[in-house]
Amino acid sequence: MLDQPTNERRLTIARAMAEAMQQEMQRDPTVFLMGEDIGGFGGIFGNTRGLFEEFGKERVRDTPISETGFISAAVGAAMDGMRPVVELMFVDFFGVCFDAIYNQMAKNTYFSGGNASVPMVLMTSTGGGYSDAGQHSQCLYGTFAHLPGMKVVSPSNAYDAKGLMTAAVRDDNPVIYMFHKGLQGMGWLSTEPGATVNTPESDYSVEIGKAKVVREGRDVTLVGLAMGVHNALKAADRLAEEGVSAEVVDLVSLVPLDRETVINSVAKTGRLIVVDEDYHSYGVSGEIIATVTEHDISKLKASPARVTYPDVPIPYARHMEQLCLPNPDKIIAAYRKM
Amino acid sequence: MAARKGSASGAKAGANVSADELKSYYRDMLLIRRFEEKAGQLYGMGLIGGFCHLYIGQEAVVVGLEAAAKEGDKRVTSYRDHGHMLACGMDPKGVMAELTGREGGYSKGKGGSMHMFSKEKHFYGGHGIVGAQVPIGAGLAFSDKYKGNDNVTFAYFGDGAANQGQVAETYNMAQLWDLPVVFVIENNQYAMGTSVQRATKSPDFYERGVAYGIQGEEVDGMDVLAVKAAGEKAVAHCRAGKGPYILEIKTYRYRGHSMSDPAKYRTREEVQKIREERDAIEHVRQLLLTGKHASEDELKDIDKEIKGIVNEAADFAKESPEPALEELWTDIYTDVAPQNA
């Protein structure tokens, strides 16, 4: 299904992220980590497990619960030539520290006329589906991708997770690395098995800014990222049973956005459905549709559709949350309406 | 005692300062004042846009602390940043040309008054959000500690920023990690139009580190020698690996908060009284003359030299071309174009 090198080693996204950071820290002494309980605890999503034991408390640094303080400190250290990787435990917490992110991290390169760059990674967990309510379940892809000056990536599987982390650490720009909790492979959290894939042991990069066609098809293009890719692949499997050939595009990166891959796919299929677990309005789904329609609306055989999270705060009650989340049924229903 | 009320240490320190050093402080403070006066004029002529926050009155703070710094030490500050840049040796031409938004400015015209950087001079901005530079300063200090050198970072902020939550976060982190950072509170007594008394019941900002175990002291910011002495003490503390230090430097801004200031929050007499009785440049001038360290003629020569430098900077800032429009799209990312370029 996914076009990846064959080997026998399957990793979870959590393990893949940790391995990328481990290799980058071995390679480059300026790489260090900061975040809440990323040390001995190993990160609540497992993505820093083992690093504290190998690199110690100086390089794998537990912080006080002071997101503005330590994210801004990372900005300062990065401007001085360090390569910090910092964790914002849940993306929902951006509200207490967004100034550090979009006013400092994202703008200092421009405001310095290129004199100071800010090579840092901000990794943060996204996504719901496990009844954690609306302060711990959002995706907020559009919120971050909207703002110039930072790159934004979100992997759908362990292979990309490792390669994107390696690329992010080596990137001279600030990179927001958004990992979906439902793909993470954590024992305590239900997980999507399709995210745990063969992952090479040696270090490698996955290009930031390049989307992937993860399933080829002729009749409709399904565009998604992170969990959306898995929903799209499941929908594509079921559509295939009906003789409908769906192509699935994994965006991988929101900034830069690989518009060309999306445009080329829709030029082939003539139909577009965007799957996005972020809120419906003013987000990724609208941006993708606008990209296609602005380019050449004549390629479309039907109005584009989107399967997204409705514009409501994410509820706690399981049946209410499940009603709101994108799923393969909704994607198939959207196709049938075309 | 962790926090100490200001003393007359400056007067004593005066004995340890050479005539040449005293003259150089006079010169550096005068450069800032004349530069800022010129910037005010250019603003009035419409050559400088946006907000422009002048440093006039506060010159002894940065000049005194720069006298305590060594090569490699870092500084980061707020939007009232022209004085800091001149004091650490950045080119007045590049600063003024940034104010006029020209190609020859430090940020190629893309940052303006509030946003300039010089890694060469270890100046890390120039930041427009009140208090945001404080944790950035802690990060700069972290970087030096990590690398194992003995550099110190001066993180400057005002009495207004002292009430920002991120300052408290930073105090805690800096002390926890023994970071070599001097927190310099430039208390000019007004956060825009709000006096310290109207903003807090805890107006002794140097004491605010006590809760975190950080030593602090109050300093007379109109006495460059007192500032230098306090700076030397703070820097020695940091270099010795003892963690951060707080200096609350009592100063006064003669001009408005920015160029749009109704000046209704204080009386004309209050400003006039401080200018006449406490002016930091006049103070050094008198020390030089009464101590016979410099003659009137020597000081006139310095005045003339400064006038030349400032005029040259202003001419450069007027003549430097506006940035090419292609520059709009550069420096957003180091490698790729923005989304819709």
Side-chain angles (χ1 to χ4, degrees), chain B residues 273-337:
Chain B
K273 188 171 160 61
I274 289 175
R275 288 192 87 131
E276 282 168 9
E277 296 174 8
R278 300 285 291 120
D279 186 73
I281 298 178
E282 188 54 32
H283 172 67
V284 173
R285 190 182 157 81
Q286 288 310 318
L287 283 181
L288 284 166
L289 292 174
T290 55
K292 306 214 180 303
H293 302 302
S295 65
E296 288 274 6
D297 282 348
E298 267 182 283
L299 297 185
K300 270 184 194 155
D301 285 344
I302 293 175
D303 293 0
K304 204 173 150 191
E305 180 215 344
I306 295 299
K307 199 175 171 188
I309 292 170
V310 168
N311 284 339
E312 191 189 12
D315 290 344
F316 179 79
K318 288 182 215 165
E319 286 157 15
S320 177
E322 291 184 324
L325 285 178
E326 299 83 70
E327 275 294 335
L328 177 65
W329 308 99
T330 67
D331 303 321
I332 300 167
Y333 301 95
T334 60
D335 48 359
V336 295

Side-chain angles (χ1 to χ4, degrees), chain B residues 185-197:
Chain B
I185 303 163
E186 297 194 60
N187 182 354
N188 67 18
Q189 305 173 44
Y190 294 94
M192 272 183 61
T194 303
S195 68
V196 168
Q197 288 69 26

